[in-house]
């Protein structure tokens, strides 16, 4: 499989990268890990005249935890996220998402920015990130903006980003108090699976055995973008956590899903699984909340 | 326009002029002439093109050669020493884990990466470590046994 010809750029600073993207706009595509871009170029789905590598920009690397924020640089790989103590301890759902992305070989290349920007409906990192209310920091020559990931995705492959914008980092405010988080992915096989359904859940409790003060339920693979299930969150808010409550939240989430029928599974099956996985994800989140 | 890149492959330095649209897999096979690195699906699913790039296993079909400039690469040809086959290679031969051989280079490199980090890896960890490498002949059992039996031989060089 041949790659079409393109010009290759290798900026070493974010401002240099922004300058190149500002000049070339739609003609250029950034490349982070390349696991999406190179496949799509080989399949002739996209043919950028210019490819702008982000790999030599030091500011886009590393995971930093300070002042109550977790900042993950654009070029941080799924393997780095999966192996990070800072992520594992406080952001277990994100670590879970990173551990099930692709294969070990893919995880060593695939980055967080590529996973977010490619906007695949089944991608593994957006649901947990959205469950924490993570924000994407976007940069172009005229300046920087920060977008809540819950407002970021428009359609498969489509986001609110301008063609000359670069995602520089993902920022998550570290949750406080008694909170629990989890991510569940259902596929037909263990590795290499586009999920049939995935669910990320976040709850925080008022005191160690109090009612649920805040809940987030994000559904992946069952709509054109990851879906925040408002109905499930409405069921949970202010209530004491319990098995029947989580079952009702699962039913509510199933109502918010917009699944498709395909050879992997019927829409009906997927909808049923949203209910099951939501209940499981909430149970797991509650367990984690109990141990904090 | 071609670019001059410098690769350290199996402890040898290569300076090569490459077009930006050549993948690392292509350059290793066609410019450097090391054909132990195979090309199967070419889209990251089969793992036959696995190499160890700066200490990490990757699908070399998804890496542009220009992106590997200045990096250190280990291919299957780099495992054998003057003393003979690497213990993992030896184990694959002894346990019958090689049939058509197409997946073998990638399997062995994924196994090496695992055992370097975790010499006591159990069966589950072994299966997970090679989950990006597909094999059409063996049913994986012998491959898993071969990797599991290497660890009984103590630390690997
Ligand atoms: C075999 C295989 C299995 C896979 N399995 C999974 C899976 O299980 N789960 C999953 O979620 N994904 C999976 N993927 C998809 C892919 O690996 C991930 O989406 C990955 O995280 C993409 O990251 P990347 O760095 O490789 O992206 P790239 O290919 O470098 O980029 C992807 C897109 O984002 C743009 N982009 C990248 N970085 C930036 C940036 N900083 N600013 C602006 N634009 C940017 C690029 O221009 C491109 O359009 C799989 C892919 C393959 C090939």
């Amino acid at each position: 499989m041949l790659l079409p010809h393109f010009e290759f750029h290798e900026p070493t600073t974010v401002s240099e990268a922004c300058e190149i993207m500002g000049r070339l706009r739609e003609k250029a595509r950034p490349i982070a890990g390349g696991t999406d871009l190179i496949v799509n170029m080989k399949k002739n789905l996209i043919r950028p005249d210019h490819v702008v590598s982000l790999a030599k920009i030091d500011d886009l690397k590393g995971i930093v935890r300070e002042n109550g924020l977790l900042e993950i640089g654009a070029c941080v790989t799924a393997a780095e996220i999966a192996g990070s103590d800072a992520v594992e301890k406080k952001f277990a759902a994100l670590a879970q998402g990173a551990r099930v992305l692709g294969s070990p070989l893919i995880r060593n290349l695939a980055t967080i920015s590529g996973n977010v920007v490619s906007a695949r409906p089944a991608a593994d990192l957006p649901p947990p990130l959205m469950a924490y209310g993570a924000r994407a920091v976007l940069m172009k020559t005229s300046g920087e903006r920060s977008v809540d990931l819950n407002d970021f995705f428009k359609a498969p492959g489509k986001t609110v980003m301008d063609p000359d914008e670069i995602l520089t980092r993902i920022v998550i405010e570290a949750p406080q108090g008694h909170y629990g988080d989890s991510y569940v992915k259902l596929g037909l096989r263990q590795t290499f699976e586009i999920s049939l359904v995935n669910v990320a859940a976040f709850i925080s409790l008022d005191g160690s055995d109090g009612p649920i003060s805040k809940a987030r339920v994000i559904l992946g693979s069952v709509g054109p973008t990851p879906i925040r299930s408002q109905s499930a969150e409405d069921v949970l808010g202010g209530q004491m956590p319990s098995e029947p409550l989580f079952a009702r939240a699962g039913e509510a989430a199933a109502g918010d899903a917009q699944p498709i029928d395909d050879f992997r599974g019927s829409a009906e099956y997927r909808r049923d699984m949203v209910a099951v996985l939501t209940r499981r994800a909430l149970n797991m989140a509650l367990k984690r909340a109990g141990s904090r | 326009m071609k670019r001059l890149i410098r690769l350290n492959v199996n402890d040898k330095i290569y300076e090569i002029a490459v077009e930006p649209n050549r993948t690392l897999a292509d350059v290793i096979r066609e410019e450097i002439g090391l054909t132990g690195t195979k090309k199967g699906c070419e889209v990251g699913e089969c793992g036959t093109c696995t190499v160890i790039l700066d200490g990490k296993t990757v699908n070399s079909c998804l890496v542009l050669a220009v992106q590997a400039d200045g990096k250190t690469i280990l291919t299957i040809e780099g495992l054998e020493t003057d003393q003979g086959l690497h213990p993992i290679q030896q184990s694959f031969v002894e346990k019958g884990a090689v049939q058509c051989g197409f997946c073998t280079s990638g399997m062995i490199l994924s196994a090496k990466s695992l055992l370097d980090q975790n010499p006591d890896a159990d069966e589950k960890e072994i299966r997970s470590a090679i989950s990006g490498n597909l094999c059409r002949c063996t049913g994986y059992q012998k491959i898993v046994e071969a990797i599991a039996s290497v660890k009984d031989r103590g630390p690997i060089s």
Side-chain angles (χ1 to χ4, degrees):
Chain A
M1 273 176 162
L2 291 179
L3 281 167
H5 282 278
F6 55 82
E7 251 187 77
F8 185 70
H9 305 259
E10 216 169 20
T12 53
T13 62
V14 174
S15 58
E16 203 188 325
C18 289
E19 186 275 318
I20 299 171
M21 291 307 299
R23 188 157 41 83
L24 302 170
R25 296 181 62 90
E26 285 87 351
K27 289 197 199 114
R29 283 289 184 124
I31 185 170
T35 60
D36 259 311
L37 189 69
I38 294 185
V39 171
N40 286 331
M41 285 171 70
K42 281 186 174 175
K43 291 184 176 164
N44 236 324
L45 299 173
I46 24 179
R47 286 186 79 105
D49 294 329
H50 300 262
V51 170
V52 182
S53 170
L54 305 177
K56 292 238 162 108
I57 306 177
D58 286 339
D59 281 352
L60 301 183
K61 292 172 188 164
I63 300 177
V64 184
R65 249 201 91 194
E66 55 185 24
N67 305 328
L69 294 178
L70 182 80
E71 300 209 354
I72 306 178
C75 290
V76 170
T77 63
E80 287 169 326
I81 293 173
S84 153
D85 283 341
V87 175
E88 179 66 48
K89 276 205 197 95
K90 296 264 176 181
F91 307 91
L94 178 59
Q96 279 178 306
R99 277 200 295 270
V100 295
L101 191 156
S103 67
L105 301 164
I106 294 289
R107 288 194 283 279
N108 282 335
L109 290 172
T111 67
I112 190 167
S113 66
N115 198 247
V116 168
V117 176
S118 57
R120 295 168 166 231
D124 282 305
L125 303 184
L129 289 171
M130 289 164 68
Y132 300 115
R135 305 180 71 83
V137 180
L138 310 177
M139 184 97 125
K140 58 176 173 174
T141 45
S142 56
E144 191 179 85
R145 62 177 173 141
S146 146
V147 182
D148 187 331
L149 281 189
N150 285 287
D151 306 320
F152 185 82
F153 301 103
K154 290 288 166 211
K158 296 231 159 30
T159 72
V160 300
M161 285 178 75
D162 295 333
D164 57 340
E165 264 178 328
I166 289 169
L167 193 164
T168 56
R169 61 190 191 279
I170 299 286
V171 180
I172 314 175
E173 217 171 291
Q176 302 294 326
H178 301 283
Y179 73 91
D181 48 339
S182 74
Y183 177 66
V184 198
K185 171 176 181 168
L186 175 71
L188 297 178
R189 297 188 299 141
Q190 278 176 15
T191 297
F192 267 150
E193 192 50 312
I194 298 182
S195 12
L196 280 165
V197 177
N198 54 51
V199 177
F202 175 93
I203 52 174
S204 61
L205 304 180
D206 225 349
S208 61
D209 47 13
I212 296 171
S213 53
K214 191 175 152 193
R216 279 273 172 85
V217 174
I218 315 291
L219 317 174
S221 286
V222 286
T225 68
I227 297 169
R228 182 167 165 196
S229 174
Q230 193 63 55
S231 318
E233 294 177 16
D234 289 345
V235 167
L236 296 161
Q239 304 297 311
M240 290 302 288
S242 72
E243 188 66 39
L245 181 75
F246 290 170
R248 273 198 287 134
E251 293 303 328
D256 286 351
Q258 308 155 27
I260 53 162
D261 268 310
D262 72 3
F263 65 94
R264 286 197 175 79
S266 65
E268 191 190 357
Y269 174 71
R270 283 189 165 94
R271 198 180 289 282
D272 285 350
M273 287 306 108
V274 168
V276 174
L277 297 197
T278 300
R279 181 162 47 81
R280 274 188 209 157
L282 285 166
N283 267 317
M284 212 186 294
L286 179 64
K287 226 188 219 163
R288 287 213 176 100
S291 64
R292 277 201 176 98
Chain B
M1 202 177 52
K2 282 194 175 177
R3 287 188 165 229
L4 192 64
I5 61 166
R6 199 180 150 92
L7 305 177
N8 175 336
V9 183
N10 304 333
D11 281 334
K12 240 174 104 179
I13 304 292
Y14 296 84
E15 282 191 331
I16 311 163
V18 296
E19 288 287 348
N21 69 345
R22 302 294 299 285
T23 64
L24 181 59
D26 288 336
V27 167
I28 289 172
R29 288 177 56 81
E30 292 159 27
E31 307 292 329
I32 299 179
L34 295 174
T35 52
T37 304
K38 305 300 179 196
K39 292 204 316 186
C41 72
E42 296 197 53
V43 289
E45 284 170 14
C46 76
T48 61
C49 67
T50 303
V51 300
I52 300 184
L53 179 69
D54 276 357
K56 297 191 175 92
T57 50
V58 298
N59 302 99
S60 62
C61 73
L62 296 182
V63 177
L64 299 176
V66 285
Q67 287 181 298
D69 181 26
K71 301 205 167 173
T72 298
I73 294 146
L74 181 72
T75 73
I76 191 66
E77 289 90 347
L79 287 196
E80 190 178 353
T81 63
D82 295 341
Q83 283 86 55
L85 292 180
H86 187 281
I88 304 175
Q89 293 175 309
Q90 189 62 41
S91 184
F92 266 60
V93 173
E94 284 168 12
K95 297 279 171 187
V98 179
Q99 288 190 23
C100 87
F102 207 76
C103 73
T104 310
S105 314
M107 283 289 179
I108 290 177
L109 289 167
S110 283
K112 177 176 187 326
S113 169
L114 169 71
L115 296 181
D116 282 352
Q117 290 159 39
N118 180 4
D120 298 321
D122 62 22
E123 178 175 341
K124 197 163 164 239
E125 288 162 328
I126 292 171
R127 286 190 183 272
S128 159
I130 59 167
S131 60
N133 298 88
L134 300 187
C135 169
R136 313 200 313 183
C137 321
T138 71
Y140 301 100
Q141 189 56 32
K142 291 195 187 245
I143 293 171
V144 173
E145 284 168 16
I147 299 168
S149 69
V150 178
K151 75 179 178 200
D152 302 333
R153 301 174 189 203
I156 327 163
S157 63

